[in-house]
Amino acid sequence: MYRGKLVSLILPAYNESESIKGVVNGFKKTGVVDEIVVVDNNSKDETAQIAKSLKGVTLINEKKQGYGFAIRRGLKEAKGDYLVLCDCDNTYKAEDIGKLLRYANKYDLVFSTRTNKKFILKGSNMYGLRRIANIFVGRLIQFLFHGSTHTDPGATFRLVNRKAYEVLKNKFTVGGVNFQPELTILALNYDFKIKEVPVYYGARTGLSKISGSFWGGIKTAVKMLKVIFEYKLN
């Protein structure tokens, strides 16, 4: 609990057996998380079994394959006043949840950014062209939809307060990797207040299922640009 508000953590998971236990335990140690919802998205390894064995974890199975579908299911099932999204691949530091919660009372959504050089750790995949591309796409959203500073459209580590979620929950259409840009655009279209804060970003455990290769990164960027321009044109 944080300042009298229930905090739910939502972890979309696909083949994360190597890291999920450590991530869950890390967030437990922060002392502010009341509910942990792991959404298993048809993992082929032991992810679901491990999550089920962890005390205090609610395991949800989402059969629709896709990062966005997993997050949307987690948001639907979670009960907190503050809904926190995060990956379970060890790239984020659990203690940085405090950075998001610090602004939760003043802002409707609080987003992390992985593009601040000061916070990029050795071994992460946020160097060079990938970092520049994230900043470019974030600034594009900022420009096209008249938002505040936005430098990382792909960051999963985000906080959505209950009020904002209740307005947006029936507006989501994306089931894939471009869910986060859609969330941002919808929030801006409804004039919700958004705050962006830098967080530490490090090496992941295991191979990325989304942008673990050069061409994977390109495909992700194309999908994000597609949803951005579709919203702008419509």
Side-chain angles (χ1 to χ4, degrees), residues 43-229:
S43 294
K44 296 176 175 61
D45 62 6
E46 302 299 310
T47 297
Q49 293 89 324
I50 294 172
K52 190 175 181 179
S53 72
L54 298 174
K55 185 177 180 180
V57 170
T58 299
L59 176 65
I60 305 295
N61 296 303
E62 175 51 59
K63 296 301 182 184
K64 291 182 180 178
Q65 191 65 45
Y67 168 82
F69 287 126
I71 289 180
R72 287 164 59 182
R73 179 66 183 278
L75 287 167
K76 181 180 179 180
E77 299 290 343
K79 301 176 176 63
D81 302 300
Y82 296 145
L83 308 170
V84 179
L85 310 174
C86 193
D87 290 323
C88 53
D89 58 6
N90 276 327
T91 50
Y92 296 99
K93 289 184 176 294
E95 54 266 34
D96 275 345
I97 192 173
K99 295 180 180 180
L100 307 186
L101 290 168
R102 190 176 304 148
Y103 295 98
N105 189 45
K106 294 182 179 180
Y107 292 86
D108 302 300
L109 301 96
V110 187
F111 296 165
S112 72
T113 176
R114 307 163 294 173
T115 60
N116 187 312
K117 289 184 178 180
K118 180 181 176 181
F119 298 92
I120 299 174
L121 302 176
K122 184 178 180 180
S124 77
N125 66 347
M126 196 49 64
Y127 288 101
L129 183 60
R130 192 181 300 273
R131 174 178 171 273
I132 293 171
N134 269 275
I135 294 173
F136 171 78
V137 176
R139 295 298 192 189
L140 181 64
I141 293 174
Q142 179 183 339
F143 173 74
L144 292 177
F145 300 93
H146 312 291
S148 55
T149 300
H150 188 49
T151 63
D152 194 356
T156 301
F157 205 6
R158 297 182 169 195
L159 181 151
V160 183
N161 74 27
R162 173 61 62 179
K163 180 184 75 172
Y165 172 66
E166 291 299 329
V167 172
L168 301 177
K169 65 181 181 181
N170 294 322
K171 309 298 180 183
F172 300 133
T173 63
V174 172
V177 65
N178 44 354
F179 172 80
Q180 297 294 16
E182 181 181 49
L183 172 60
T184 303
I185 293 166
L186 286 171
L188 291 173
N189 284 345
Y190 279 88
D191 293 322
F192 284 123
K193 293 175 63 178
I194 302 173
K195 175 70 175 179
E196 184 179 81
V197 296
V199 299
Y200 285 102
Y201 191 68
R204 67 161 287 134
T205 299
L207 179 67
S208 172
K209 289 79 177 174
I210 295 174
S211 56
S213 66
F214 174 79
W215 289 112
I218 293 295
K219 289 179 181 179
T220 297
V222 170
K223 290 178 180 179
M224 288 185 176
L225 290 171
K226 183 174 182 289
V227 76
I228 290 167
F229 286 111

